[in-house]
Amino acid sequence: MSGSVSKAGIKIKGMTCASCAARIEKAISKMPGVQQVNVNFAAEKANITYDSGKLTVGDFIQKIKDVGYDVILDKVELGLKNMNCASCAAKIEKALAKAPGVYKASVNFATETATVEYNSSEIDIKNLINIVRKTGYDAFEKTEMNVDREKQEREREIRSLGRLVVISTILTIPLVISMVLRILDKPGGILDNPWFQIALSAPVQFIIGYRYYRGAYHALRGGGANMDVLIAMGTTAAFFYSLYNVFTLPMEVIHNYLYFEASAVIITLITLGKYLEAVAKGRTSEAIKKLMGLQAKTARVIRNNQEMDIPVEEVEVGDIVVVRPGEKIPVDGKIIEGYSSVDESMLTGESIPVEKKVGDEVVGATLNKTGTFKFEATKVGKDTALAQIIKMVEDAQGSKAPIQKLADQISGIFVPIVIVIAAISFGVWYFIFGNFTAGLINAVSVLVIACPCALGLATPTSVMVGTGKGAENGVLIKGGEHLERAHKIKAIVLDKTGTITKGKPEVTDIVSLGDMKPEEILIFAASSEKGSEHPLGEAIVNKAKDANMKLFDPENFEAIPGHGIYSKIQGREIHFGNRRLMAKQNLPTEGIENLLTKLEDEGKTAMIMAIDGKIEGVVAVADTVKDHSKEAIDELKKLGIEVWMITGDNKRTANAIARQVGIDHVLAEVLPENKAQEVEKLKKQGKLTAMVGDGINDAPALAAADVGIAIGTGTDVAMEAADITLMSGDLRGIVTAIKLSRATMRNIKQNLFWAFIYNTVGIPFAALGFLSPAIAGGAMAFSSVSVVTNALRLRKFKPETAM
């Protein structure tokens, strides 16, 4: 049996290093029906593409638990209505349990409550309530709306680690004082007593350190080894060697052979490192929290002819929503009454409010500034623009950059190699130099300092902060691979209409070439274009409407891509378009070439009208350049990137626009279906090429480019085909994306360099006896914290200053 291809995002708890992520990834990838799996250690999340006919989310959760880790599931309590008996409860429970994305459902008839554990990437609370309603009952959410389960888990983990650090530190300090006094050859009194040291170190070793034993057990049971294995082996060796000496050596020399402080300090410092790491990792996803915080909590809807305030989660498509000045717009919709200006800066980055009237679309989470209006809800819940943005950023933060593969491969084989190195170090010191104690202690130092945490964190933390920072600047990056690739861009192809220009052209000239008046030419042109969705056609129709002209309905209409249109009006055949269209109809244009050239040299698009086989007139339309296009193109050239413009316009018009914005390379008269071919030609020259566009006809070229960049003010199709989306139409967003990519890659390389250097230098030092286990533990903890802290520096990224 084969079902549709589905995607699941599962939050994982209990991973301690990159090898944990690798092992989970390996286990899931072997499951029949899994097409792709990506486990991100820093994001603590598994993203899985699978065949829903063969597997369920529950199968993956069980597999993750089998490997030895836990899963963070969203949990909700639903209040139930209209139940009459226990069989009602059983019926609801069965319906909820069968829903995709639900892991466990339990219905209590006595308390009229359903407790549901579910995966929010597949199903939401509103869908759960609808399932209950379809079963014949009613439901409502009892728990607080929008509880950030992941945030709760993170805060709980931070509190737990904080308590462990405090307790561990209190127990370890006397052991450290004893060690210092011993080095200074001064009496320590009770601190030197071996039984006192056991009493202090045993709780640290076996209670505070229990998490590392548990992690090591699950790792070994799953057929691998991770950071926990190294810590457990190292500290256990130090503790039990000291314990052995307590029972076998004379009391007068015993204090020189006790290493209880080493095992306690290692566990204390590594737990402190985990605490600091958890705090820092919580800050890497601040962009998501900011986006979630933008959403309105309630909505004022009209139901039964009455205004009522309801939670935003209960708004349904078709509801009429009222918004007053100063209020957030709760969901996406279309204005049906009223007029206002709306601050859309959270979406587009543009600070100037946008005027909104009847028929205009509004977006949830944007801010109403001046007037009161009513709108019809068209997208709610997971379908709103804000929810889609949050989902895109979450997916990007959970993805892997290609550079991470190297770190993952090294992390996967690192632990077994370290164990071998530790064994060799012990063997050399014991069998060659005859020093068992030095061999054991140096082996412990090797085991502790070599934990590959820093390697595992180096890339994903930077990707999380980088993609989040992009979202804050109106640049949505679909994944780590696109963020990485953008820094290598050598050539960029910009679509003209709607990308370089505003995409809202206006009629500038109407020239009659026969007996018809300019007004008649405009009427025929506008009537022909009534069925067209092209921006130039829209400009002509708007010109006629502004002049209150009565338009005809075409009897026939055909759009001829790259040429123009054909229509039949009042029994007359109209061909309206460029030279290619006239040539196709065997209508020579040599006699009007000077006129066409003059208009095109002015940056206008000249369209020729032929009626019943005779050229009757020319309509010229000009599209103005966006305010910041030239500035953005100048910046791209400063970054060493070759800028091209691509358009279906003729060469003269294209060159006129190119001159205005400073573009040297122009691809003119390119048919929509050939745009992708032009992109491929640049790629074949060995240039990593980006394509920027906003229309449906740009989608193939966006997909063909190494990096596809969509203008967010354009079509959904273009945004779907693109790797990066600019939420505003401002081309400076391209500069931001490239600068952000370069800053992120620089940050990743710094992280990887220090992680590699740290292990490369640290292991030999530990093996040769230059590092005590306690110092090794501190260094290991510091390395992870330093990598995450370095990644957090990206939060200071500013497009205008970054290079």
Side-chain angles (χ1 to χ4, degrees):
M1 178 185 171
S2 180
S4 60
V5 174
S6 298
K7 292 185 178 181
I10 301 173
K11 298 162 191 171
I12 301 171
K13 186 168 67 172
M15 292 190 293
T16 55
C17 66
S19 58
C20 298
R23 191 164 63 261
I24 296 170
E25 199 169 279
K26 186 178 179 182
I28 293 175
S29 65
K30 289 180 179 177
M31 298 172 74
V34 172
Q35 296 181 5
Q36 188 178 359
V37 58
N38 172 14
V39 180
N40 188 309
F41 168 50
E44 295 178 333
K45 188 175 182 182
N47 290 317
I48 308 164
T49 305
Y50 66 100
D51 185 337
S52 58
K54 295 179 180 178
L55 292 162
T56 65
V57 173
D59 295 328
F60 299 127
I61 291 170
Q62 192 56 53
K63 176 60 74 174
I64 291 167
K65 290 187 173 184
D66 288 345
V67 178
Y69 301 89
D70 208 351
V71 169
I72 301 172
L73 288 166
D74 297 271
K75 192 174 183 179
V76 66
E77 279 193 358
L78 300 177
L80 302 173
K81 296 178 182 178
N82 307 329
M83 289 196 299
N84 298 315
C85 63
S87 62
C88 299
K91 187 178 176 185
I92 295 170
E93 189 173 295
K94 188 177 179 182
L96 287 169
K98 282 168 58 180
V102 171
Y103 180 59
K104 190 187 290 183
S106 174
V107 176
N108 188 315
F109 173 59
T111 59
E112 295 185 322
T113 301
T115 303
V116 187
E117 291 185 29
Y118 66 101
N119 185 354
S120 60
S121 68
E122 289 193 287
I123 194 167
D124 60 17
I125 294 168
K126 188 175 178 182
N127 288 333
L128 294 171
I129 291 172
N130 285 337
I131 288 168
V132 176
R133 287 174 178 166
K134 284 177 184 176
T135 314
Y137 306 91
D138 201 2
F140 60 93
E141 185 185 356
K142 288 181 72 173
T143 52
E144 185 185 346
M145 300 292 174
N146 289 324
V147 173
D148 186 349
R149 182 98 168 129
E150 190 176 5
K151 183 182 177 185
Q152 281 186 337
E153 286 288 340
R154 178 84 70 192
E155 289 174 350
R156 189 192 63 76
E157 182 190 11
I158 289 170
R159 285 195 300 271
S160 173
L161 285 168
R163 282 195 299 270
L164 292 176
V165 168
V166 170
I167 295 167
S168 192
T169 302
I170 291 169
L171 293 171
T172 303
I173 286 173
L175 297 171
V176 174
I177 293 171
S178 171
M179 179 191 69
V180 172
L181 292 173
R182 192 164 66 243
I183 292 170
L184 297 174
D185 200 24
K186 291 185 178 181
I190 192 172
L191 298 181
D192 285 341
N193 187 293
W195 300 105
F196 179 73
Q197 292 195 10
I198 291 171
L200 292 175
S201 61
V204 177
Q205 183 69 40
F206 300 109
I207 298 175
I208 310 295
Y210 170 73
R211 61 190 288 125
Y212 305 114
Y213 282 107
R214 183 186 58 205
Y217 166 74
H218 287 305
L220 294 170
R221 194 182 73 167
N226 64 356
M227 181 199 88
D228 294 324
V229 173
L230 299 180
I231 294 169
M233 284 179 66
T235 58
T236 301
F239 183 88
F240 281 101
Y241 175 62
S242 302
L243 194 63
Y244 169 79
N245 289 337
V246 169
F247 288 102
T248 59
L249 294 178
M251 188 62 75
E252 56 270 18
V253 297
I254 195 173
H255 63 274
N256 292 319
Y257 296 92
L258 297 183
Y259 298 95
F260 291 118
E261 84 286 339
S263 63
V265 167
I266 289 167
I267 289 173
T268 301
L269 289 174
I270 289 170
T271 306
L272 174 63
K274 285 288 164 196
Y275 168 77
L276 296 173
E277 190 182 302
V279 171
K281 281 202 293 188
R283 294 205 297 268
T284 61
S285 56
E286 276 188 359
I288 294 284
K289 291 169 190 167
K290 284 182 183 176
L291 289 171
M292 286 178 168
L294 293 172
Q295 188 174 16
K297 300 294 184 287
T298 61
R300 186 177 295 108
V301 300
I302 298 175
R303 289 181 180 172
N304 300 322
N305 295 320
Q306 285 188 327
E307 286 187 16
M308 59 177 71
D309 288 338
I310 62 171
V312 72
E313 291 83 7
E314 293 181 17
V315 178
E316 296 180 358
V317 172
D319 272 342
I320 305 303
V321 185
V322 181
V323 185
R324 296 195 174 102
E327 293 180 342
K328 278 186 180 178
I329 297 167
V331 295
D332 299 1
K334 186 174 282 190
I335 295 179
I336 58 170
E337 182 185 313
Y339 176 89
S340 185
S341 61
V342 176
D343 179 356
E344 295 185 338
S345 57
M346 57 72 58
L347 188 72
T348 64
E350 293 288 342
S351 57
I352 301 171
V354 181
E355 300 297 315
K356 297 287 183 179
K357 59 185 184 301
V358 172
D360 288 344
E361 293 185 348
V362 289
V363 179
T366 54
L367 185 65
N368 181 31
K369 299 291 282 186
T370 52
T372 298
F373 61 88
K374 295 177 183 177
F375 73 92
E376 181 183 349
T378 56
K379 291 180 180 177
V380 300
K382 292 200 293 185
D383 297 324
T384 63
L386 179 64
Q388 293 296 316
I389 291 168
I390 291 170
K391 181 72 168 66
M392 190 182 286
V393 176
E394 281 182 331
D395 288 346
Q397 291 194 337
S399 67
K400 285 186 181 178
I403 196 171
Q404 191 177 338
K405 289 177 183 175
L406 174 65
D408 285 351
Q409 287 168 354
I410 292 171
S411 296
I413 60 171
F414 200 70
V415 174
I417 291 173
V418 167
I419 293 172
V420 171
I421 293 171
I424 292 171
S425 176
F426 173 78
V428 169
W429 281 97
Y430 179 51
F431 293 109
I432 296 178
F433 298 108
N435 192 333
F436 177 87
T437 301
L440 183 69
I441 296 305
N442 294 339
V444 169
S445 297
V446 169
L447 291 172
V448 172
I449 200 166
C451 294
C453 295
L455 272 178
L457 291 166
T459 302
T461 46
S462 297
V463 169
M464 287 175 75
V465 181
T467 50
K469 199 67 193 174
E472 287 178 25
N473 285 279
V475 178
L476 298 184
I477 302 166
K478 277 191 179 175
E481 67 272 24
H482 311 305
L483 180 65
E484 176 177 335
R485 206 178 296 133
H487 90 285
K488 299 177 183 174
I489 291 172
K490 295 298 178 190
I492 193 160
V493 181
L494 304 173
D495 177 53
K496 180 181 80 75
T497 307
T499 301
I500 295 174
T501 62
K502 292 178 180 176
K504 292 182 180 177
E506 296 176 353
V507 175
T508 56
D509 302 83
I510 303 170
V511 181
S512 174
L513 301 172
D515 300 328
M516 294 179 70
K517 294 179 181 178
E519 292 81 6
E520 292 177 283
I521 292 171
L522 179 58
I523 288 172
F524 274 107
S527 299
S528 300
E529 292 283 7
K530 273 178 75 176
S532 170
E533 295 180 355
H534 196 282
L536 300 182
E538 195 179 323
I540 293 168
V541 173
N542 288 338
K543 177 77 172 177
K545 284 181 177 177
D546 290 344
N548 294 317
M549 291 180 171
K550 184 182 177 183
L551 302 182
F552 304 111
D553 291 323
E555 295 156 34
N556 285 324
F557 176 83
E558 180 190 353
I560 308 167
H563 292 74
I565 59 170
Y566 161 77
S567 65
K568 194 169 185 180
I569 298 173
Q570 301 283 293
R572 306 184 75 175
E573 292 195 336
I574 315 290
H575 286 89
F576 188 45
N578 55 26
R579 293 177 180 82
R580 289 194 294 268
L581 181 63
M582 296 301 115
K584 205 172 179 182
Q585 301 303 314
N586 296 316
L587 295 172
T589 56
E590 287 83 357
I592 58 170
E593 198 56 47
N594 288 338
L595 170 65
L596 298 176
T597 301
K598 175 181 174 292
L599 293 170
E600 288 162 0
D601 283 342
E602 293 169 358
K604 299 169 183 175
T605 299
M607 291 173 283
I608 309 161
M609 176 178 285
I611 301 179
D612 293 333
K614 181 187 174 188
I615 294 176
E616 293 284 358
V618 173
V619 178
V621 176
D623 188 5
T624 54
V625 170
K626 287 180 183 176
D627 293 340
H628 300 291
S629 288
K630 186 175 190 319
E631 180 187 338
I633 287 159
D634 288 344
E635 281 289 317
L636 289 169
K637 288 161 85 172
K638 284 178 188 175
L639 292 174
I641 296 168
E642 204 173 88
V643 184
W644 293 69
M645 183 177 81
I646 194 166
T647 179
D649 276 349
N650 62 74
K651 289 180 181 177
R652 284 195 184 89
T653 304
N655 286 330
I657 296 291
R659 280 195 299 272
Q660 287 182 47
V661 294
I663 292 178
D664 304 317
H665 310 283
V666 179
L667 298 166
E669 298 179 20
V670 179
L671 297 175
E673 61 268 26
N674 293 337
K675 285 184 178 180
Q677 294 175 16
E678 295 296 337
V679 170
E680 291 288 356
K681 284 179 188 175
L682 280 172
K683 285 169 67 177
K684 284 175 183 173
Q685 294 175 24
K687 297 169 182 169
L688 194 129
T689 305
M691 168 72 194
V692 186
D694 72 326
I696 291 173
N697 60 9
D698 297 322
L702 289 169
D706 293 303
V707 180
I709 303 174
I711 301 293
T713 50
T715 65
D716 290 342
V717 177
M719 290 168 69
E720 187 63 33
D723 305 313
I724 297 172
T725 300
L726 310 180
M727 291 312 296
S728 72
D730 193 332
L731 290 190
R732 289 179 298 179
I734 305 168
V735 180
T736 298
I738 293 169
K739 285 184 175 181
L740 179 62
S741 172
R742 291 184 179 184
T744 304
M745 288 309 300
R746 190 163 57 244
N747 192 274
I748 287 171
K749 285 171 183 174
Q750 288 167 356
N751 285 347
L752 287 173
F753 172 79
W754 287 113
F756 278 120
I757 286 293
Y758 159 81
N759 281 311
T760 305
V761 173
I763 291 172
F765 267 74
L768 294 170
F770 295 121
L771 284 178
S772 74
I775 294 173
M780 194 281 278
F782 175 76
S783 70
S784 297
V785 175
S786 63
V787 161
V788 179
T789 304
N790 188 50
L792 288 171
R793 288 194 310 113
L794 278 172
R795 293 192 304 163
K796 297 178 181 177
F797 170 86
K798 291 181 181 177
E800 60 272 16
T801 57
M803 242 316 291

